Amino acid sequence: MRASRGPVANKPKTEPLGDPGGRRTGTWPWFIAGCAATGVMGILLLTMGTKGAEISQTLSLMVGVVGCLLTFYFRQSETGTITLRPRRRWILSAVPLVILGMAAGWWFFIHKPDINVTDLVAVTGGNGMHDKSEAWVALPTEGDITVANSGRDRLALILRLVNPAKVGNCVGPATLNVAPIVDGKWGIPVTVSSGEEARLSLAGVERRAGARVIVNMTDLACVVDLTVAEAILYN
Amino acid sequence: MVRARLRAALTAFLLLAPACGPEPVPTPTPLPKVLYIGVTTDHPGWSTHEAGTNRRTGFDIALADWLRSRLARDVTFVDLRLEERIEALEDHKVHMVISTFSITDERRKVIDFAGPYMITRQGVLVRKDDHRIKNYDDLTRKNRNICVASGTTSQEQLQPFNGKGLALTVEPALQGCFERLVNKQVDAFSTDQLVLHGFAKSRLETRVLDDLTFGAQEQYGIGLPNHDKSTCDLLAGHLKTFLYEGKWEEFLERNLHPANLAAYKPLDLDPCEDGTT
């Protein structure tokens, strides 16, 4: 008497996805490359901190759409055959590739990466600031990177107040009025807290740019120091 | 076929929804049924405890009781000395501290605060018949013996003068300083002026020098464990109601009745610290 081979053995064979001839090995290079690219991108985004989080959020929309399209159009039918004809399949393959190509083109040829100038920014009057004191933040005008030759027209500025004394509730309730100055012309001021990002327009800068900072504190006895935690030129 | 399309659409929605959503919001910490609130026991007008009757009185106790009813929670008071307040929060022995707890940038590094709910400054208490101290110079430049409690902002503010223009006596509790003053062991007792009003009210042989205040503002807040923004936001909302809908004046008048109530009232509350910083 022959032993039964069980339900698995009797199950009809299905064609592998996208490979009617059964040559699954052809998909492995893509799989490995995809995993490697995802890993590298993940590490890169992690090292970028909050900027990486912003980029991944933006990219996730595109990746999500493309992923869904691919899954939807290349799904396997119940009988194991591809539902689309080869010509339509290649046309549909081209759509996400074109989108990706356009995105990559924008990223590499149009988009300009951020320039971190934190160490190049000069602060005047930032020590021993009282209520309503003014400090001046100047962006670099000499050296390899200057605000004029950077090709960027916006500044993301994070200012931080430090209370050197052990007493006083100074930093928490304080606000900073930050007004951009571009080639001597005053821009629109913004009000931020210590550690909060101020986004300033430097549009049309030809020689020099900076900002005037006024500290507002509720306790007139407070004395604080102003530092630049981050200064990023971007578009 | 319809089911497959539905599944695909659902999968797409689940994949895309997080990408389109706003920044993730920290999950609010649910308050426990019983709140352990750290308080002091020897601050007349602010927080006292009678051992025999187990009765507690004072502005901070009244505020804690008011919060208990607003939050619909039971409260267990935990007795703390002044220098134990931060440690009690760091070790999670209490959920919050309500105890003339000055908000400072230094303390914000290790704990959070909801507030301020009161503003005062450093003041000076002397014996009623002693008229030697009239101004800041008399206090800091004539080698007077001044008592402060350890672990307080008062100690921080006078420490730089110690041995240079005054002699600092440090007691573990405010009550110790008060006893030393009454017993003529020190020339003056310095701490927050509103706290001194509570002591002066309890013993008539002392008086607060109303015109002598100095240093940074003392802004009282409710101390919370670090990175507890959700509880801070919750308490800040209730404190706004407390400050601007009548109870604040009532409790201050009943427990301390200072001359000018408005001078001690904050105009606004500080934003709660972001839990990530």
Side-chain angles (χ1 to χ4, degrees), chain A residues 54 57 60-65 68 72 75 78 83 163 165-173 193 218-222 224, chain B residues 1 4-5 8 11-12 15-16 18-23 103-106 108 116 121 153 156-157 215-217 219 270-271:
Chain A
E54 282 178 30
Q57 265 199 327
S60 65
L61 179 67
M62 190 173 68
V63 171
V65 170
C68 285
F72 190 68
R75 72 196 156 82
E78 287 178 10
T83 54
N163 176 7
K166 288 189 174 180
V167 295
N169 177 27
C170 305
V171 174
S193 303
T218 52
D219 183 359
L220 301 184
C222 282
V224 294
Chain B
M1 178 64 84
R5 281 176 192 274
T11 309
L15 279 169
L16 297 178
C20 303
E23 290 284 314
I103 305 170
T104 70
D105 297 316
E106 183 79 6
R108 276 187 200 276
R121 295 171 76 87
T153 49
E156 298 287 355
Q157 305 218 38
Q217 283 181 354
Q219 303 183 8
D270 293 349

Side-chain angles (χ1 to χ4, degrees), chain B residues 3 12-13 31 42 88 104 117 119 126-128 158 165 187 206 219 232 237 246 251 262 266 268:
Chain B
R3 273 191 182 176
F13 174 77
L31 284 174
D42 56 354
T104 70
Y117 62 85
I119 293 179
V126 294
R127 288 180 294 278
K128 204 160 219 171
L158 288 176
D187 298 319
T206 58
Q219 303 183 8
C232 179
F251 291 173
D268 203 359

Side-chain angles (χ1 to χ4, degrees), chain A residues 66-102:
Chain A
V66 171
C68 285
L69 281 173
L70 288 172
T71 310
F72 190 68
Y73 286 112
F74 289 93
R75 72 196 156 82
Q76 196 175 15
S77 75
E78 287 178 10
T79 56
T81 56
I82 301 299
T83 54
L84 294 173
R85 281 175 294 188
R87 192 178 166 198
R88 189 176 290 181
R89 182 178 143 194
W90 282 111
I91 290 170
L92 286 168
S93 300
V95 171
L97 287 175
V98 168
I99 294 170
L100 280 171
M102 287 170 67

Side-chain angles (χ1 to χ4, degrees), chain A residues 43-64:
Chain A
I43 291 165
L44 272 175
L45 290 171
L46 278 173
T47 57
M48 293 168 80
T50 51
K51 293 278 178 199
E54 282 178 30
I55 292 169
S56 70
Q57 265 199 327
T58 311
L59 284 179
S60 65
L61 179 67
M62 190 173 68
V63 171

